[in-house]
Amino acid sequence: MRKLENLQALIATSVEKLAYPVYPAELYEPIKYILAIGGKRMRPALLLMACDLFGGDVEAALPPALAIEVFHNFTLMHDDIMDNAPKRRGRATVHEKWNNNVAILSGDVMLIEGYKLMMQVRNDLLHQVLDIFNDTAVGVCEGQQLDMTFETSNNITIAEYINMIRLKTAVVLGGALKIGALIGNADQTDADLLSDFGVNLGIAFQLQDDILDVYGDPEKFGKQVGGDIISNKKTYLLLKAQELSGSDELNTWLATAQFDAAEKVAAVTAIYNKVDVRRHAEAEMQAYAEKAFTALEKINLPEDSKQYLRDFADGLLVREY
Amino acid sequence: MRKLENLQALIATSVEKLAYPVYPAELYEPIKYILAIGGKRMRPALLLMACDLFGGDVEAALPPALAIEVFHNFTLMHDDIMDNAPKRRGRATVHEKWNNNVAILSGDVMLIEGYKLMMQVRNDLLHQVLDIFNDTAVGVCEGQQLDMTFETSNNITIAEYINMIRLKTAVVLGGALKIGALIGNADQTDADLLSDFGVNLGIAFQLQDDILDVYGDPEKFGKQVGGDIISNKKTYLLLKAQELSGSDELNTWLATAQFDAAEKVAAVTAIYNKVDVRRHAEAEMQAYAEKAFTALEKINLPEDSKQYLRDFADGLLVREY
């Protein structure tokens, strides 16, 4: 079995080789630019990993893996407009460097280029792989819409929140794994189980991200600790604390427009601690991790391949606090 | 052969039956809204017409035809953001009625929904039909980008302009006709010829639109006569007049920010008349129409089918001045 970091490196060098026309420059330069910003290339690497685990030809899985990466970067380009984000990984976002219109239209072309790459799959898999890609793509858009809707909505249930993170971040992991498995000649049942593994792992990972935002080690988290609290982001922790907390103190903080950031983070964290929200969040995360492992155990793969997947999941979920 | 207006009516009723989820409402309501605004449904009707001319099953061509219509409306939704257009056919545009983010994301989903519909083609045609759809979609995006770039560019050649209108408006006509022909079991050569017919007819049609903007009958044109002159749009007429006109009067009008609209239209039209730009534009339009008819003659179809296509082209091109 190939190491995940080797697959990520293979994706990185293959992304560099993707060729786009030079004309019209405003359409294709932003595509090269955002793809060069980089990232962990985790989604496409998972596709290759799934193919490899089932003994498939990783080279044959490369164009669909690149499709997943191009698609992912299309969503980033459009999300950055919608979120009004000036920076991505320290570089100016496309709409900042060029303008909104360029980012809209380049993103549109990236989605089409994603389809072109995804179509470079064996013909007997074409229809099924594109069905999975379509469902994944629609899911990501639905998740992004729900994420935006929730920003200005005040009675989000935890079930709605879990559904949102499932759509926005988890289905693409499941989709990538399923496509990779099918290219590796996995049977339908195993491909579906690997997809379940990916979706539930993705939800667990996102819940962990919510926990780390509050309880993470600032040195290791890589983002501003308390960022979700400062921006009133409706994470699992906030929704659960609202459910558990009898007092109005939490809602008062949410409604206060002028505040000292450190003071708000400390006060809201204290409320979280009082109702023990971290324990609830960890239990929820664990529940999704267990769903992932349950699906994994059912897959018809040799023990060493399953151990590879378990190690991968553990590495993803046990991050430093 | 079915009448074109009957095919347009079939599309109109089929568009009404397209079903989308109700949740998230902000994602799917705009899709229903823009599709209900209507239009001539010419592009999808051409796809059905091509299928019918080759003796194919029009019902089987319906989902791909709807794909073309959904795709076309995706481009309208995004173009309206980029063009800052408040109205479309007298109704508020999606970004006006909701907001830019909703229009970006709903448009993205429409593009995916277009692929889902296009995939409802017989399996032996799937790859080829999607290749055509991809090329068409990329072409439309390239054309839109060039159209925007040309707005702020000062040395556009006529060849660049023709290439822009080919991409922005003509390739989709060629693509729709070609897909319809293939579904109707046309051979490759005939499908390509019908595509050539469509592309060249599309260019001729757009050139006619440029002419009508200046010389059209205000009662019959449906748009504001002189609109292109008022907005300094770089049409064939403007580019040709710049090429032919020795005087700086035209450029002075282009550079004047404050003006009386009727006075500018009259003055620029007078310059156009002086260099006889209408005659040049009509000759160029005629040249593309002839290319269309030359391709048409080579298609292996019975004479009555060719006459149907000739009548269609004549109806499109001979509009009242």
Side-chain angles (χ1 to χ4, degrees):
Chain A
M1 283 163 292
R2 299 209 202 176
K3 284 188 178 166
L4 189 61
E5 56 259 42
N6 294 347
L7 298 173
Q8 288 170 288
L10 175 59
I11 294 291
T13 55
S14 304
V15 165
E16 278 171 33
K17 288 181 208 152
L18 284 173
Y20 292 102
V22 291
Y23 180 87
E26 295 88 344
L27 196 61
Y28 291 110
E29 279 297 324
I31 299 180
K32 295 173 206 165
Y33 174 81
I34 196 169
L35 286 172
I37 288 180
K40 294 191 292 293
R41 316 294 191 188
M42 186 60 85
R43 294 160 189 79
L46 287 179
L47 193 153
L48 297 185
M49 182 186 86
C51 175
D52 189 43
L53 281 175
F54 284 96
D57 175 8
V58 167
E59 291 298 317
L62 203 47
L66 292 170
I68 290 287
E69 184 64 12
V70 169
F71 169 78
H72 175 58
N73 279 274
F74 140 72
T75 66
L76 297 180
M77 202 187 277
H78 278 190
D79 285 5
D80 283 342
I81 310 171
M82 296 184 240
D83 300 342
N84 222 349
K87 297 269 183 187
R88 168 161 300 281
R89 297 182 171 267
R91 305 276 301 275
T93 47
V94 167
H95 66 97
E96 275 287 313
K97 189 172 159 72
W98 284 270
N99 57 54
N100 277 14
N101 288 358
V102 162
I104 292 171
L105 203 55
S106 286
D108 292 346
V109 170
M110 283 189 94
L111 177 52
I112 302 163
E113 294 293 335
Y115 276 97
K116 284 164 73 172
L117 285 163
M118 194 56 89
M119 283 177 62
Q120 293 174 40
V121 73
R122 319 194 290 274
N123 215 41
D124 63 302
L125 286 177
L126 180 62
H127 205 293
Q128 189 183 4
V129 163
L130 289 179
D131 280 344
I132 299 165
F133 189 50
N134 286 334
D135 288 349
T136 300
V138 167
V140 172
C141 291
E142 289 185 353
Q144 169 69 6
Q145 181 58 56
L146 292 174
D147 198 17
M148 292 196 295
T149 305
F150 291 178
E151 278 176 30
T152 54
S153 183
N154 278 323
N155 39 7
I156 314 303
T157 66
I158 284 174
E160 286 172 320
Y161 175 72
I162 299 279
N163 182 48
M164 183 277 281
I165 62 176
R166 182 181 67 80
L167 291 165
K168 186 168 175 176
T169 67
V171 295
V172 69
L173 303 183
L177 286 168
K178 185 168 179 179
I179 290 170
L182 291 170
I183 296 171
N185 296 310
D187 70 21
Q188 204 61 47
T189 309
D190 286 337
D192 284 335
L193 286 167
L194 193 62
S195 173
D196 278 1
F197 167 77
V199 170
N200 287 300
L201 191 64
I203 296 170
F205 181 78
Q206 185 58 50
L207 288 168
Q208 174 178 255
D209 210 59
D210 288 2
I211 298 167
L212 288 174
D213 185 85
V214 180
Y215 296 105
D217 179 340
E219 297 285 310
K220 291 172 184 159
F221 183 45
K223 285 189 253 180
Q224 181 186 19
V225 169
D228 289 346
I229 292 176
I230 293 165
S231 66
N232 285 351
K233 181 144 177 68
K234 295 187 185 77
T235 66
Y236 178 89
L237 282 79
L238 175 55
L239 297 171
K240 192 71 186 175
Q242 284 181 313
E243 185 189 302
L244 294 171
S245 161
S247 85
D248 288 336
E249 197 192 342
L250 186 54
N251 292 325
T252 305
W253 272 110
L254 295 178
T256 305
Q258 297 288 324
F259 54 81
D260 176 77
E263 191 190 346
K264 179 174 176 179
V265 172
V268 171
T269 303
I271 299 167
Y272 284 0
N273 290 340
K274 207 158 63 183
V275 297
D276 213 0
V277 81
R278 180 175 176 172
R279 187 174 54 79
H280 286 89
E282 285 176 352
E284 187 88 1
M285 179 188 111
Q286 202 53 46
Y288 281 98
E290 274 162 29
K291 285 190 196 194
F293 287 117
T294 302
L296 169 57
E297 293 313 319
K298 293 185 198 156
I299 302 175
N300 184 25
L301 272 177
E303 176 54 29
D304 61 337
S305 299
K306 286 190 187 178
Q307 192 54 45
Y308 180 107
L309 286 166
R310 274 182 221 116
D311 291 345
F312 164 68
D314 285 340
L316 210 62
L317 291 184
V318 187
R319 299 200 300 191
E320 299 284 342
Y321 279 74
Chain B
M1 283 164 293
R2 300 209 202 174
K3 283 187 181 169
L4 189 61
E5 58 258 40
N6 294 347
L7 298 173
Q8 288 170 287
L10 175 59
I11 294 290
T13 55
S14 304
V15 165
E16 278 172 34
K17 289 183 206 151
L18 283 173
Y20 292 102
V22 291
Y23 180 88
E26 295 88 343
L27 197 61
Y28 291 110
E29 279 297 322
I31 299 180
K32 295 174 206 164
Y33 174 82
I34 197 169
L35 286 173
I37 288 179
K40 293 190 292 293
R41 316 291 192 190
M42 185 59 85
R43 293 160 190 79
L46 287 180
L47 192 154
L48 298 184
M49 181 187 87
C51 175
D52 189 43
L53 280 176
F54 284 96
D57 175 8
V58 167
E59 291 297 318
L62 202 47
L66 292 170
I68 291 286
E69 184 65 12
V70 169
F71 169 78
H72 175 60
N73 279 274
F74 140 73
T75 66
L76 298 180
M77 204 187 276
H78 278 190
D79 285 4
D80 283 342
I81 308 172
M82 295 184 242
D83 300 342
N84 224 347
K87 297 268 183 190
R88 169 161 299 282
R89 294 181 174 270
R91 306 277 300 275
T93 47
V94 167
H95 66 98
E96 275 288 312
K97 188 172 161 72
W98 284 271
N99 56 55
N100 277 14
N101 288 358
V102 162
I104 291 171
L105 203 56
S106 286
D108 291 344
V109 170
M110 284 188 93
L111 177 51
I112 304 164
E113 295 292 335
Y115 276 97
K116 285 164 74 171
L117 286 163
M118 194 55 88
M119 283 177 61
Q120 293 173 41
V121 73
R122 320 194 288 275
N123 216 42
D124 64 303
L125 287 177
L126 180 62
H127 205 293
Q128 190 183 5
V129 163
L130 289 179
D131 280 343
I132 299 165
F133 189 49
N134 286 334
D135 288 348
T136 301
V138 167
V140 172
C141 291
E142 288 184 354
Q144 168 68 7
Q145 180 58 57
L146 292 175
D147 198 16
M148 292 195 296
T149 304
F150 290 179
E151 277 176 29
T152 54
S153 185
N154 279 322
N155 40 7
I156 314 302
T157 66
I158 284 174
E160 286 171 320
Y161 175 73
I162 299 278
N163 183 50
M164 183 276 283
I165 62 176
R166 180 181 68 79
L167 290 165
K168 186 168 174 173
T169 66
V171 295
V172 70
L173 303 183
L177 285 168
K178 185 168 179 179
I179 290 170
L182 291 170
I183 296 171
N185 297 309
D187 69 21
Q188 205 60 47
T189 308
D190 285 337
D192 284 335
L193 286 167
L194 193 61
S195 174
D196 278 0
F197 168 75
V199 170
N200 286 301
L201 191 64
I203 296 170
F205 181 76
Q206 185 58 51
L207 288 168
Q208 174 178 256
D209 209 59
D210 288 1
I211 299 166
L212 288 175
D213 184 85
V214 180
Y215 297 106
D217 180 340
E219 298 284 311
K220 292 172 183 160
F221 182 44
K223 288 188 251 181
Q224 181 187 18
V225 169
D228 290 345
I229 291 176
I230 293 165
S231 66
N232 285 351
K233 183 149 174 65
K234 296 187 184 75
T235 65
Y236 178 89
L237 282 78
L238 176 54
L239 297 172
K240 192 70 185 177
Q242 282 181 314
E243 185 188 302
L244 294 172
S245 161
S247 86
D248 288 334
E249 197 191 341
L250 186 52
N251 292 325
T252 305
W253 273 110
L254 295 178
T256 305
Q258 299 288 326
F259 53 81
D260 176 78
E263 191 190 345
K264 179 174 177 179
V265 172
V268 172
T269 303
I271 299 167
Y272 285 178
N273 291 340
K274 207 159 60 182
V275 297
D276 213 0
V277 81
R278 180 176 177 173
R279 187 174 55 80
H280 287 90
E282 286 176 351
E284 188 88 1
M285 179 188 109
Q286 201 53 44
Y288 282 98
E290 273 161 31
K291 285 189 195 196
F293 287 116
T294 301
L296 168 58
E297 292 313 319
K298 294 184 195 157
I299 302 175
N300 184 23
L301 272 176
E303 176 55 28
D304 61 338
S305 300
K306 288 190 187 179
Q307 192 54 45
Y308 179 106
L309 286 167
R310 274 182 222 117
D311 291 345
F312 163 69
D314 285 339
L316 210 62
L317 292 183
V318 187
R319 298 200 301 192
E320 299 283 342
Y321 281 72

